[in-house]
Structure formats: C-alpha cells, structure tokens
Coordinates of all heavy atoms in Angstrom, one line a residue:
D10 N 23.0 -1.6 -17.9 CA 22.4 -0.4 -18.2 C 20.9 -0.7 -18.7 O 20.1 0.1 -18.4 CB 23.2 0.3 -19.2 CG 24.3 1.1 -18.6 OD1 24.5 1.1 -17.4 OD2 25.3 1.4 -19.5
M11 N 20.8 -1.8 -19.6 CA 19.5 -2.2 -20.1 C 18.5 -2.6 -18.9 O 17.4 -2.3 -19.0 CB 19.8 -3.4 -21.1 CG 18.4 -3.7 -21.6 SD 18.1 -3.7 -23.4 CE 19.6 -3.7 -24.3
D12 N 19.1 -3.3 -17.9 CA 18.3 -3.7 -16.8 C 17.7 -2.5 -16.1 O 16.5 -2.4 -15.8 CB 19.1 -4.5 -15.8 CG 19.5 -5.9 -16.3 OD1 18.9 -6.5 -17.1 OD2 20.5 -6.4 -15.6
R13 N 18.6 -1.5 -15.8 CA 18.1 -0.2 -15.2 C 17.0 0.5 -16.0 O 16.2 1.0 -15.5 CB 19.4 0.6 -14.9 CG 20.2 0.2 -13.7 CD 21.2 1.2 -13.3 NE 22.2 0.5 -12.7 CZ 23.2 0.0 -13.3 NH1 23.4 0.0 -14.6 NH2 24.2 -0.6 -12.7
L14 N 17.3 0.5 -17.4 CA 16.3 1.1 -18.2 C 15.0 0.4 -18.2 O 14.0 1.1 -18.1 CB 16.9 1.2 -19.7 CG 16.0 1.8 -20.7 CD1 15.8 3.3 -20.4 CD2 16.6 1.7 -22.0
F15 N 15.1 -0.8 -18.2 CA 13.8 -1.6 -18.1 C 13.1 -1.3 -16.8 O 11.9 -1.1 -16.8 CB 14.0 -3.1 -18.3 CG 12.9 -4.0 -18.0 CD1 11.8 -4.1 -18.9 CD2 12.6 -4.6 -16.8 CE1 10.7 -4.8 -18.6 CE2 11.5 -5.3 -16.5 CZ 10.5 -5.5 -17.4
L16 N 13.8 -1.3 -15.7 CA 13.2 -1.0 -14.4 C 12.6 0.4 -14.3 O 11.4 0.6 -13.9 CB 14.1 -1.2 -13.2 CG 14.6 -2.6 -13.0 CD1 15.7 -2.6 -12.0 CD2 13.4 -3.4 -12.4
E17 N 13.2 1.3 -14.9 CA 12.8 2.8 -14.9 C 11.5 2.8 -15.9 O 10.6 3.4 -15.5 CB 13.9 3.6 -15.6 CG 13.8 5.0 -15.4 CD 15.1 5.7 -15.9 OE1 16.2 5.5 -15.4 OE2 14.8 6.5 -16.9
Q18 N 11.6 2.2 -17.0 CA 10.3 2.2 -17.9 C 9.2 1.5 -17.3 O 8.1 2.0 -17.4 CB 10.8 1.7 -19.3 CG 11.6 2.5 -20.1 CD 12.1 1.8 -21.3 OE1 12.1 0.7 -21.5 NE2 12.6 2.7 -22.3
A19 N 9.5 0.3 -16.7 CA 8.3 -0.4 -16.0 C 7.7 0.3 -15.0 O 6.4 0.3 -14.7 CB 8.8 -1.8 -15.6
T20 N 8.4 1.2 -14.2 CA 7.9 2.0 -13.1 C 7.1 3.2 -13.6 O 6.2 3.6 -13.0 CB 9.0 2.3 -12.1 OG1 9.7 1.1 -11.7 CG2 8.5 3.1 -10.9
A21 N 7.6 3.7 -14.7 CA 7.1 4.9 -15.3 C 5.7 4.5 -16.0 O 4.8 5.6 -16.0 CB 7.9 5.5 -16.3
Q22 N 5.3 3.3 -16.3 CA 4.1 3.0 -16.9 C 3.0 2.9 -15.8 O 3.1 2.2 -14.9 CB 4.2 1.6 -17.6 CG 5.2 1.6 -18.7 CD 4.8 2.6 -19.8 OE1 3.7 2.7 -20.2 NE2 5.9 3.3 -20.2
P23 N 2.0 3.7 -16.0 CA 0.9 3.7 -15.0 C 0.1 2.5 -15.1 O 0.0 1.9 -16.2 CB 0.1 5.0 -15.4 CG 0.3 5.2 -16.8 CD 1.6 4.6 -17.1
V24 N -0.5 2.0 -13.9 CA -1.4 0.9 -13.9 C -2.7 1.5 -13.8 O -3.0 2.2 -12.8 CB -1.1 0.0 -12.7 CG1 -2.1 -1.2 -12.6 CG2 0.3 -0.6 -12.8
S25 N -3.6 1.3 -14.7 CA -4.9 1.9 -14.8 C -6.1 1.0 -15.0 O -5.9 0.0 -15.6 CB -5.0 3.0 -15.8 OG -3.9 3.9 -15.8
F26 N -7.2 1.4 -14.5 CA -8.4 0.5 -14.7 C -9.5 1.4 -15.1 O -9.7 2.6 -14.5 CB -8.8 -0.2 -13.3 CG -7.8 -1.1 -12.8 CD1 -6.9 -0.6 -11.8 CD2 -7.8 -2.4 -13.1 CE1 -5.9 -1.5 -11.4 CE2 -6.8 -3.3 -12.7 CZ -5.9 -2.8 -11.8
W27 N -10.1 1.2 -16.2 CA -11.0 2.1 -16.8 C -12.4 1.3 -17.1 O -12.4 0.1 -17.4 CB -10.6 2.5 -18.1 CG -9.3 3.2 -18.1 CD1 -8.0 2.7 -18.1 CD2 -9.1 4.6 -17.9 NE1 -7.1 3.7 -18.1 CE2 -7.7 4.9 -17.9 CE3 -9.9 5.7 -17.8 CZ2 -7.2 6.2 -17.8 CZ3 -9.5 7.0 -17.7 CH2 -8.0 7.2 -17.7
E28 N -13.5 2.0 -17.0 CA -14.7 1.5 -17.3 C -15.2 2.2 -18.6 O -15.1 3.4 -18.8 CB -15.8 1.9 -16.2 CG -17.2 1.5 -16.4 CD -18.1 2.0 -15.4 OE1 -17.8 2.9 -14.6 OE2 -19.3 1.5 -15.3
V29 N -15.6 1.2 -19.5 CA -16.2 1.8 -20.8 C -17.6 2.2 -20.6 O -18.4 1.5 -20.1 CB -16.0 0.7 -21.9 CG1 -16.6 1.2 -23.2 CG2 -14.6 0.3 -22.1
L30 N -17.9 3.5 -20.8 CA -19.2 4.1 -20.6 C -20.0 3.9 -21.9 O -21.3 3.7 -21.7 CB -19.1 5.5 -20.2 CG -18.3 5.8 -18.9 CD1 -18.2 7.3 -18.7 CD2 -19.0 5.2 -17.7
W31 N -19.4 4.1 -23.0 CA -20.1 4.1 -24.3 C -19.2 3.9 -25.3 O -18.0 4.2 -25.3 CB -21.0 5.3 -24.5 CG -20.2 6.6 -24.5 CD1 -20.1 7.4 -23.6 CD2 -19.7 7.2 -25.7 NE1 -19.3 8.5 -24.0 CE2 -19.1 8.3 -25.4 CE3 -19.7 6.8 -27.1 CZ2 -18.4 9.2 -26.2 CZ3 -19.0 7.7 -28.0 CH2 -18.3 8.8 -27.6
S32 N -19.7 3.3 -26.5 CA -18.8 3.3 -27.7 C -19.8 3.3 -29.0 O -20.8 2.8 -28.9 CB -18.0 2.1 -27.7 OG -18.7 1.0 -28.1
E33 N -19.3 4.0 -29.9 CA -19.9 4.1 -31.2 C -18.9 3.7 -32.3 O -17.9 4.3 -32.4 CB -20.6 5.4 -31.4 CG -21.7 5.8 -30.6 CD -22.2 7.1 -30.9 OE1 -22.3 7.6 -32.0 OE2 -22.6 7.9 -29.9
A34 N -19.2 2.6 -33.0 CA -18.2 2.1 -34.1 C -17.9 3.1 -35.0 O -18.8 3.9 -35.5 CB -18.9 1.0 -34.8

C-alpha cells in the first residue's frame, strides 16, 4: 500500500520549469 501511495504521489507532483523575472528582497 505504501508503494502504491508513493507512486500516486510522485505522479501527482507537477514537473515545472520557471524563469525568475524579478525579485525584491
């Protein structure tokens, strides 16, 4: 059950790539 839960959670996590446009401390 733990294996299945891990597979489910790993699949639900999006893989994203982001560009930082600006930042102010």
Side-chain angles (χ1 to χ4, degrees):
D10 289 341
M11 180 121 21
D12 292 337
R13 282 190 209 83
L14 179 62
F15 172 76
L16 290 170
E17 200 174 293
Q18 289 174 341
T20 303
Q22 298 299 315
V24 176
S25 305
F26 299 91
W27 301 87
E28 176 183 15
V29 177
L30 301 174
W31 60 270
S32 80
E33 291 180 35

